Amino acid sequence: MLKQAVTACWIALRTVFCNCHADQPHHFSPQRHQYTVSRLARLPAVIGESSGLVFDAATQTLWTHNDGGSPAELFGLDTTGQLRKTIPLALTNVDWEDLTRDLSGRLYIGDFGNNFNNRRNLTIYRLHPDQPARVDTIRFRYADQARFPPGPDSLNFDCEAFFYHADSLYLFSKNRGRGPVSVYALPAQPGSFVARRVGQINTNRMVTGAAISPSGQRFALLTYGKILTFALVPGDPLLSHPAECIRFSHAQTEGITFLNDTTLIISNEQQKLFRLRRKH
C-alpha cells in the first residue's frame, strides 16, 4: 500500500511539471485549449485498476480490464461508465496492460507488462467477446533484446500501449532506462513472432496507452501528463506526421480510446473515467 502511494505521488509531481516542448525532433502543436475535459464517471469497485481501454462502436461498449495479478476478466461499460457485462476468461492475468480491437470486432489483450525487462513469455490474446471461450494466442519477443534483463540504461522492453492497424499490431515501449520510446510491429494473427522495431519517439514521458481513431486517420499516445497525437497517412512511416500535444494531468492515467474522431475517453488507476472532446 505504501509503495502504491509513493508511486502515485511521484507520478502526480511529474505531471504537474509536464509540458509540450520536450519531444524533439517531433514538433507537436499544443492544443489543450482546443479540448473540453469532463469527468465522465467513477468506475465500479470491481474495476480497481483500469489498465486497458477500447471502444466498440457497433455495440456502444467500452471494454476494460484490471492491471496485472488481478482475475482474468473483461468488463463491458456503457458510454456513461456503468458496468453492463463481466466476462471471466480461462487465462492468467500475468500483467495485462492494454486493449485494442480489429475491424471484425475481435479484442486483443496485451499481456506484455514487463517492469523488470526479464519476461520471456510476452503474449497477446485475441478473442471475440461473443465467443470468449475461443482464444487465439500471439507470442513474441523483441528483435533487439539480447539480455534478460538488459543493463540499467537499456530497460526499454516494458510495454503498456498498442493498437491494431492494417493487419498489424503496433507496440510502444514504456522506457525505464534511457533513450527514446521504441515502436514495434507484429502480425495480428496467432503464432510466435519476433517484434521488429519500426520507429522511435523522443518523448520525456512514459507511454501508458495507445488508441487509433475510428477513421484510421490518426492515433493517440497517452503518457503521465500529456497526450500526443499523430496523423496516419497511407504509404508514410507511422511517426512521420506528429500533430497535437494535449496536456492532461489526472493522476495515473493508463487507458485511452477514441469514442469518435473528435472525442477521447481516458481511464486512470484511481477508478476515474474522463472525456476529452474537441471544440467545434
Side-chain angles (χ1 to χ4, degrees):
M1 197 72 178
L2 178 61
K3 182 179 179 182
Q4 291 177 338
V6 171
T7 300
C9 289
W10 177 82
I11 291 170
L13 287 172
R14 293 271 289 176
T15 59
V16 166
F17 297 105
C18 180
N19 63 70
C20 289
H21 303 289
D23 297 297
Q24 304 297 330
H26 297 291
H27 299 285
F28 297 91
S29 172
Q31 292 290 317
R32 174 63 179 83
H33 64 286
Q34 294 294 334
Y35 287 82
T36 58
V37 180
S38 58
R39 179 170 159 179
L40 188 61
R42 180 171 181 83
L43 295 172
V46 69
I47 309 175
E49 292 184 293
S50 172
S51 187
L53 191 66
V54 71
F55 180 60
D56 183 349
T59 61
Q60 293 291 292
T61 301
L62 287 162
W63 291 103
T64 189
H65 59 74
N66 281 315
D67 207 345
S70 303
E73 297 173 320
L74 291 174
F75 303 100
L77 313 171
D78 64 22
T79 54
T80 69
Q82 300 302 303
L83 181 63
R84 298 305 184 204
K85 182 180 292 188
T86 300
I87 301 178
L89 299 172
L91 300 170
T92 300
N93 181 348
V94 177
D95 199 351
W96 291 8
E97 290 292 357
D98 203 6
L99 281 170
T100 189
R101 65 183 296 275
D102 63 23
L103 301 181
S104 299
R106 294 176 297 194
L107 301 178
Y108 296 75
I109 305 169
D111 191 349
F112 41 45
N114 192 15
N115 290 351
F116 301 105
N117 283 237
N118 60 357
R119 284 187 65 179
R120 296 176 183 266
N121 61 341
L122 302 171
T123 307
I124 296 168
Y125 299 110
R126 184 180 74 178
L127 60 96
H128 197 287
D130 291 339
Q131 297 177 305
R134 297 178 57 182
V135 179
D136 297 319
T137 302
I138 303 168
R139 297 180 176 87
F140 71 95
R141 64 178 179 84
Y142 296 107
D144 51 345
Q145 182 171 11
R147 297 171 59 194
F148 297 82
D153 289 340
S154 302
L155 298 174
N156 301 329
F157 301 101
D158 191 10
C159 180
E160 294 190 4
F162 77 143
F163 63 78
Y164 171 94
H165 176 60
D167 298 322
S168 293
L169 298 170
Y170 292 93
L171 287 65
F172 300 81
S173 67
K174 181 182 181 180
N175 286 4
R176 298 179 182 276
R178 295 181 181 178
V181 170
S182 295
V183 187
Y184 295 90
L186 283 171
Q189 61 186 39
S192 296
F193 302 98
V194 176
R196 57 188 179 89
R197 190 167 64 183
V198 296
Q200 293 181 321
I201 306 170
N202 290 302
T203 181
N204 64 339
R205 289 293 180 269
M206 294 180 176
V207 175
T208 59
I212 188 169
S213 66
S215 66
Q217 294 181 353
R218 66 182 178 131
F219 69 90
L221 300 180
L222 178 66
T223 77
Y224 295 139
K226 59 189 174 185
I227 301 164
L228 303 176
T229 72
F230 291 78
L232 278 170
V233 177
D236 288 357
L238 192 72
L239 305 173
S240 57
H241 298 281
E244 299 175 329
C245 174
I246 309 161
R247 288 197 63 183
F248 186 79
S249 303
H250 288 275
Q252 195 169 349
T253 49
E254 299 282 345
I256 185 169
T257 190
F258 282 88
L259 193 65
N260 52 53
D261 277 357
T262 59
T263 305
L264 288 160
I265 303 293
I266 294 171
S267 65
N268 68 15
E269 291 200 351
Q270 287 69 47
Q271 295 182 276
K272 295 176 182 177
L273 202 63
F274 299 91
R275 179 175 60 206
L276 276 75
R277 178 175 291 163
R278 188 171 182 84
K279 298 175 183 177
H280 296 293

